[in-house]
Amino acid sequence: MNTEFDIVIIGGGAAGLSCALSMDRLGFHVAVIEQAPETALENPRFDGRELALTHHTIAWLKDYNVWPHFALSQVTPLQRADILSGHDAARAARKLLSFESMDTPSEERAPLGYLVAHHVIRKALYEEVRKRENITVICGKDALRSGAHAEEAHMDLDDGRRFHARLIVAADGRFSRARAQRGIGAVTHDFRRHILVCRLSHTRPHHDIATQWFDEGQTLAFLPVGEKSADGRDCSSLVLTLKPDDISRLAHMAAPDFVNDIAQRLQGQLGAIDLVSARCTYPLKAVYAHRFRAARFALIGDAAVGMHPITAHGFNFGLKGQETLARKIADGAGDPGEPRLLRQFEMAHRRDTMPLFAATNAIATLYTRDAPLSLKLREATLQFAQNSNPLKRFVARVLSDH
Ligand SMILES: Cc1cc2nc3c(=O)[nH]c(=O)nc-3n(C[C@H](O)[C@H](O)[C@H](O)COP(=O)(O)OP(=O)(O)OC[C@H]3O[C@@H](n4cnc5c(N)ncnc54)[C@H](O)[C@@H]3O)c2cc1C
């Protein structure tokens, strides 16, 4: 088998596969190394994540023919996002901060963004990747280590093979081993909380509205899902943040007990509820790599910037990072590992991601503090923002990347 490529990408997640499509369009021969078996790419399992996609991301997915793979019911327009603070749901709902869909330059009302499940996006990306002759996907293999000389990089697989390329791209997730192995550290913000995500069916219609509720002692979000339950009810994705032990207890509870517990936490906000999916859990750790490059080596996706999900930007940044890398390579002299263009990529991607990474961590920290002063500050900032239309428009534009 050929072991000489222009670019080797470590990781066949959403970021790695997107990058493969971009590099293929530039005319490069690309290998993607993925440790999971091929079935995990052909039919990725539901993992609870409903990704809010910005307009920029949607434009990219359309340009690369990924968007047409989604069924209509798998794409949910986000018409409004409400933010609530405080324990009493009824009181919090009267003092909410609300972002509506926006007027676009063409005078049409555009949704804030669209929600598509992560496993659906991964499947669609892989279906497109498979059509490209110049992309080779090697599954079930662990990328052990990489290194570089001035003219060439190499990467060793766990089966003893050595791959040669002009550029290695690490897209192996937020706890990236490839990053550490090349001596690149990362700032890690451990929120000491875990997340549980699952789909609920409910009797109250969601009207394509997402709600982020900073309760006391817990944070809940419900995101509208276009697909209906078997009995025709609306469905939402629940995102619950609690201490790790509490999340573990809820994840392993019998389903009827879980539904009762969640119903109490929701205070009737979705009406009567039922559990209609598996429950998935994640540790809440945000990660920002000290550098996004080394010799003939670049970091993209969560390996570069692993966001707290509250501002819904992890994949959006992952897509943007690989797009920036591809643009810099396209502007170069033909060598994708040229140090100057990797430096330019790093500067541009840091500029794109650092402000929102810092703001997201600050919001997530302030809005999970329940001291009386913090609660007052939380409510006051929401009220201030609600009464400031220019500020709301600015935030909506940043988050939806219009
Ligand atoms: C609850 C939740 C909600 C979210 N909501 C949003 C949202 O609304 N909007 C948004 O934009 N983002 C959201 N995100 C973030 C988004 O899911 C991630 O940013 C994105 O999936 C990361 O993709 P990735 O390809 O960088 O990493 P990963 O998905 O982690 O993929 C890494 C891949 O590399 C492979 N791999 C690892 N090590 C090796 C190795 N040594 N050799 C070979 N292969 C390897 C892994 O098997 C994996 O397939 C959310 C995340 C969570 C947890």
Side-chain angles (χ1 to χ4, degrees):
M1 188 202 190
N2 180 25
T3 52
E4 308 274 334
F5 291 89
D6 296 313
I7 297 169
V8 169
I9 299 170
I10 306 173
L17 294 180
S18 311
C19 185
L21 289 174
S22 291
M23 298 306 165
D24 166 77
R25 186 177 280 187
L26 295 180
F28 292 114
H29 284 86
V30 183
V32 179
I33 313 294
E34 169 55 50
Q35 65 188 2
E38 193 182 5
T39 48
L41 298 190
E42 281 170 343
N43 279 307
R45 269 192 317 185
F46 170 81
D47 61 12
R49 307 184 204 184
E50 310 289 339
L51 304 196
L53 306 178
T54 63
H55 289 270
H56 187 91
T57 295
I58 292 161
W60 189 94
L61 293 171
K62 286 182 177 166
D63 186 23
Y64 282 79
N65 202 39
V66 179
W67 191 259
H69 289 264
F70 307 148
L72 209 58
S73 63
Q74 292 174 325
V75 178
T76 313
L78 187 56
Q79 300 295 2
R80 207 175 85 197
D82 291 346
I83 304 177
L84 284 64
S85 175
H87 180 60
D88 180 340
R91 182 176 177 278
R94 286 196 297 275
K95 299 193 162 224
L96 52 73
L97 167 60
S98 198
F99 294 102
E100 302 267 353
S101 53
M102 295 169 303
D103 293 325
T104 64
S106 61
E107 301 297 319
E108 286 167 19
R109 275 320 253 182
L112 289 166
Y114 289 85
L115 288 150
V116 182
H118 183 227
H119 71 285
V120 172
I121 297 172
R122 290 188 64 191
K123 183 175 168 65
L125 282 167
Y126 187 58
E127 279 168 9
E128 272 310 299
V129 160
R130 275 211 313 208
K131 292 184 194 165
R132 308 295 198 277
E133 268 180 20
N134 285 341
I135 305 178
T136 305
V137 182
I138 298 148
C139 292
K141 300 289 173 203
D142 194 351
L144 288 183
R145 68 190 77 80
S146 71
H149 308 293
E151 300 300 321
E152 192 195 69
H154 58 266
M155 202 222 42
D156 295 332
L157 280 193
D158 58 352
D159 61 7
R161 274 183 292 173
R162 172 164 281 199
F163 282 65
H164 299 271
R166 289 188 284 165
L167 174 68
I168 308 277
V169 178
D172 54 341
R174 70 183 60 201
F175 306 114
S176 167
R177 192 174 67 203
R179 180 182 69 207
Q181 188 261 318
R182 291 299 292 267
I184 302 178
V187 175
T188 302
H189 192 126
D190 186 350
F191 292 90
R192 297 177 202 283
R193 295 282 185 280
H194 282 197
I195 285 189
L196 183 147
V197 273
C198 64
R199 283 187 182 183
L200 302 173
S201 70
H202 45 88
T203 49
R204 269 202 200 167
H206 55 55
H207 299 300
D208 299 332
I209 298 170
T211 304
Q212 176 71 52
W213 177 18
F214 297 102
D215 193 351
E216 291 169 35
Q218 62 178 358
T219 306
L220 295 118
F222 358 111
L223 312 173
V225 171
E227 285 160 307
K228 301 267 186 196
S229 66
D231 56 357
R233 285 175 170 187
D234 268 11
C235 291
S236 289
S237 168
L238 171 78
V239 187
L240 174 64
T241 308
L242 288 171
K243 293 196 173 124
D245 286 352
D246 295 329
I247 288 293
S248 170
R249 190 175 49 80
L250 282 164
H252 296 103
M253 210 177 242
D257 297 335
F258 174 78
V259 169
N260 283 339
D261 186 301
I262 298 299
Q264 283 182 17
R265 291 174 189 277
L266 289 175
Q267 298 178 30
Q269 290 214 65
L270 295 174
I273 57 163
D274 213 347
L275 177 65
V276 292
S277 78
R279 287 163 270 179
C280 309
T281 65
Y282 299 93
L284 253 188
K285 283 186 188 171
V287 176
Y288 203 95
H290 292 161
R291 289 182 288 128
F292 297 156
R293 67 181 163 101
R296 297 198 169 271
F297 181 78
L299 289 174
I300 60 161
D302 279 15
V305 182
M307 295 285 289
H308 186 301
I310 209 162
T311 43
H313 257 68
F315 172 58
N316 290 307
F317 276 166
L319 203 77
K320 207 163 209 181
Q322 63 80 28
E323 201 185 354
T324 304
L325 179 62
R327 203 173 49 243
K328 297 298 175 194
I329 290 173
D331 290 347
D335 176 359
E338 196 191 325
R340 184 182 51 86
L341 66 85
L342 293 183
R343 255 195 322 273
Q344 289 173 356
F345 152 69
E346 177 178 60
M347 272 162 47
H349 195 43
R350 190 171 286 151
R351 212 173 35 235
D352 283 341
T353 55
M354 181 56 102
L356 191 58
F357 180 81
T360 302
N361 291 348
I363 292 167
T365 305
L366 170 67
Y367 279 84
T368 45
R369 284 211 181 122
D370 296 333
L373 194 63
S374 302
L375 286 170
K376 281 210 163 61
L377 190 62
R378 280 159 51 167
E379 214 172 83
T381 44
L382 289 191
Q383 285 289 284
F384 173 77
Q386 175 66 3
N387 293 323
S388 169
N389 277 333
L391 176 63
K392 279 209 301 186
R393 264 201 297 277
F394 171 73
V395 173
R397 275 194 191 280
V398 168
L399 291 184
S400 63
D401 204 356
H402 228 299

